[in-house]
Amino acid sequence: MDKIRILQLGEEDWKERYILPGHVQLDYVKELKELPEKPYDMVFLDRDPSEEETGLLYRAVRAYTMFVTDRVDRRGRSKWLCLSRGAQYIAADDIQRFLTEESRYYFPRPYGENDRDTSVRIRLVFTLFVPGSVSDILEQRVFEEEDLEQVIRFESSKGDGTLFVSVQAKGSGRLWLTALHRRISRGSHGCFLPGGERYVTSRREEAFCYFEPGDLKPPLNVYFSGYKTLQGFEGYYMMKNLGCPFLLLAEPRLEGGSFYMGSEEYEQIYPNVIREYMQVLGFTQEQVIMSGLSMGTFGALYYGCDIEPYAMVVGKPLVSIGNVAANEKYLRPGGFPTSLDVLHFQCGGMGEEDIRRLNEKFWNKFDRADWRKSRFAVAYMIEDDYDADAYETLLLHLNSGGVQAYGKGLHGRHNDNTPGIVDWFAGQYKKILQEDFGRRMDR
């Protein structure tokens, strides 16, 4: 694992005061005069920052990774910085323990790698073998069914080795194993990113969100991650560079996502999270922009029906997901087989009726929404082999008076020109922020 890079500002160098573990690189700066060339994983502030340093720290620090000591006046000039960066207080007598034990959860590059009859019980067994051996056991731990209601964390003080994981079941009946997720833990500091939140339904379906306060001024930019086999959030730097408060949403079901659809319980998660952070910021629906690319466009548009935001900014829209699956047979053989899993997972079958039902799930909700105060900016592929008529169909269903919609078509199939789509997507975002919210976008 890469070393965890820490920036420390203060009157004394902590390298002279504390013992640093081997996984930590601490850079002491008495006065911050310019942006660091490479972002730091953590920042410790041990004195009040100057006005110039406040601006630099705001731009350089990722939310939830700043820690301030009692030498910082959090009621004065530093208050806004602490709020916008989600800064946490750390007591002087806890610094050594934190550096030794907790800093390892702030690693720079995150990544992520069940239903049953009631008559069946399961448990999970972790066996850590001595390196190079399949018989000498370093440690073994058993997690019972009650433990599996929450994410479980396996840590060993016995050393490195080969980890073997087995699922054990007893009883009579059926057991459905959907997926086992392996993720590097951030301990109690978040999921995927420091500050990342995990939501789970009674059927253990997961949803994730990450909120960054930004400059605390409108709008709130909501971004739904696209299809990702590498679990985690998408679009962090793109959203951060806009300077606004933003909310990242992601889901890890199936191979790379199931288009944010699910049970009634599951589909309450996303609008509830968005409304929660609207309330935290004191924003109205007219101060929200919802967005996404590819699979993320479905989440943005589908839950946009609940929020009815000021604007939708989407690239490569996918809306008739039944058609996306149907196109796998003739138009796109082998191109996106997960679409067939989505169809079966959402509708329980693969027939024409299932395709129709999955399509209507979106359009029935979309047609009930009031879009009179919303605008749509849509970048699409003209020869899209996933959902060929998405843009035209969206226009046909936008019957609310006063709605504004415009698009940009690029030649190619769904994945032929992602950079071109992203460029236009980012450009429209900046245009809306500048013209409608009075933000300077020239930095």
Side-chain angles (χ1 to χ4, degrees):
M1 182 183 294
D2 295 338
K3 282 201 172 189
I4 291 158
R5 300 174 64 252
I6 296 177
L7 174 66
Q8 183 239 324
L9 277 72
E11 299 300 331
E12 59 178 329
D13 188 344
W14 284 4
K15 292 194 291 292
E16 306 298 326
R17 185 174 180 181
Y18 300 107
I19 299 171
L20 298 180
H23 63 265
V24 162
Q25 172 192 322
L26 187 143
D27 294 340
Y28 168 67
V29 176
K30 191 167 185 178
E31 183 179 356
L32 187 64
K33 297 182 178 180
E34 59 184 4
L35 283 174
E37 291 184 6
K38 182 180 178 182
Y40 282 91
D41 304 309
M42 302 174 71
V43 172
F44 286 91
L45 196 56
D46 196 29
R47 61 161 172 78
D48 284 328
S50 67
E51 185 173 345
E52 180 184 4
E53 287 175 327
T54 297
L56 291 171
L57 288 169
Y58 169 72
R59 295 171 61 188
V61 179
R62 176 183 287 169
Y64 314 110
T65 65
M66 174 182 281
F67 295 83
V68 298
T69 69
D70 55 11
R71 294 181 178 179
V72 177
D73 182 5
R74 289 171 286 159
R75 299 167 301 174
R77 180 172 53 226
S78 304
K79 180 179 180 180
W80 176 83
L81 177 64
C82 291
L83 286 173
S84 69
R85 298 299 85 199
Q88 303 169 63
Y89 169 75
I90 186 166
D93 58 4
D94 195 40
I95 293 173
Q96 181 63 71
R97 183 201 67 81
F98 194 94
L99 289 170
T100 303
E101 300 178 12
E102 302 294 324
S103 61
R104 59 199 171 108
Y105 295 117
Y106 288 80
F107 49 85
R109 292 182 292 179
Y111 74 83
E113 297 245 18
N114 292 334
D115 198 8
R116 59 175 180 78
D117 290 339
T118 56
S119 56
V120 176
R121 287 191 60 81
I122 61 171
R123 68 182 190 179
L124 207 59
V125 180
F126 284 67
T127 305
L128 184 66
F129 291 99
V130 172
S133 172
V134 292
S135 58
D136 297 324
I137 296 175
L138 277 175
E139 186 175 358
Q140 187 172 74
R141 291 181 62 186
V142 177
F143 295 92
E144 301 293 344
E145 191 165 297
E146 293 73 19
D147 301 319
L148 302 179
E149 293 296 328
Q150 302 295 328
V151 171
I152 58 175
R153 190 169 76 200
F154 180 83
E155 294 183 89
S156 177
S157 60
K158 304 289 181 65
D160 295 331
T162 302
L163 184 64
F164 181 80
V165 182
S166 60
V167 179
Q168 298 181 350
K170 70 176 182 179
S172 60
R174 294 187 66 185
L175 169 66
W176 292 264
L177 281 180
T178 53
L180 290 174
H181 301 282
R182 181 175 71 92
R183 301 165 184 149
I184 295 181
S185 174
R186 289 199 183 270
S188 61
H189 303 281
C191 295
F192 299 127
L193 292 173
E197 299 176 73
R198 174 181 181 262
Y199 299 83
V200 61
T201 68
S202 57
R203 295 190 62 186
R204 301 181 185 177
E205 291 185 278
E206 294 178 304
F208 293 89
C209 88
Y210 171 85
F211 170 69
E212 183 151 324
D215 62 4
L216 304 173
K217 300 176 183 178
L220 169 63
N221 293 330
V222 181
Y223 182 85
F224 286 80
S225 297
Y227 171 84
K228 282 177 64 68
T229 55
L230 187 67
Q231 293 182 11
F233 298 107
E234 178 182 273
Y236 173 83
Y237 288 106
M238 178 168 58
M239 292 294 108
K240 179 178 172 59
N241 289 339
L242 295 175
C244 310
F246 66 89
L247 184 63
L248 304 181
L249 297 165
E251 66 114 321
R253 299 171 302 161
L254 300 181
E255 184 189 28
S258 189
F259 285 79
Y260 299 94
M261 293 179 285
S263 64
E264 182 178 350
E265 179 189 8
Y266 187 79
E267 292 188 5
Q268 286 301 308
I269 293 174
Y270 299 106
N272 286 348
V273 167
I274 296 168
R275 291 186 181 114
E276 175 188 346
Y277 285 107
M278 288 170 61
Q279 186 173 4
V280 166
L281 294 162
F283 290 1
T284 66
Q285 65 192 83
E286 291 83 11
Q287 296 170 313
V288 176
I289 298 175
M290 297 181 68
S291 59
L293 296 168
S294 194
M295 186 184 84
T297 66
F298 187 92
L301 293 164
Y302 192 69
Y303 295 105
C305 299
D306 300 293
I307 305 299
E308 296 175 353
Y310 178 79
M312 295 276 195
V313 183
V314 294
K316 300 194 295 186
L318 300 176
V319 286
S320 299
I321 308 304
N323 292 350
V324 175
N327 286 337
E328 189 68 16
K329 185 173 183 179
Y330 296 115
L331 185 61
R332 192 192 60 244
F336 185 37
T338 300
S339 61
L340 302 174
D341 294 331
V342 174
L343 176 61
H344 190 272
F345 178 63
Q346 297 292 343
C347 296
M350 307 282 282
E352 292 294 327
E353 177 61 20
D354 301 301
I355 292 170
R356 184 190 64 79
R357 283 173 48 217
L358 190 53
N359 288 342
E360 288 185 353
K361 182 178 176 68
F362 175 85
W363 293 115
N364 288 340
K365 185 173 184 177
F366 190 84
D367 290 342
R368 292 195 300 268
D370 183 355
W371 301 114
R372 285 177 295 178
K373 296 181 180 180
S374 299
R375 61 188 59 197
F376 290 73
V378 184
Y380 62 97
M381 301 303 294
I382 296 172
E383 291 84 21
D384 199 301
D385 52 341
Y386 281 47
D387 191 358
D389 303 318
Y391 178 61
E392 290 80 3
T393 312
L394 273 173
L395 294 181
L396 288 174
H397 282 260
L398 283 174
N399 296 319
S400 303
V403 64
Q404 299 180 42
Y406 58 94
K408 171 72 172 180
L410 302 179
H411 280 290
R413 297 163 297 180
H414 190 75
N415 290 318
D416 281 347
N417 192 0
T418 298
I421 292 288
V422 172
D423 284 347
W424 193 86
F425 173 93
Q428 297 309 302
Y429 235 125
K430 293 176 180 178
K431 182 173 184 282
I432 292 172
L433 294 176
Q434 182 168 306
E435 295 181 359
D436 300 340
F437 290 92
R439 286 180 166 271
R440 289 186 57 186
M441 304 306 298
D442 54 357
R443 64 183 177 92

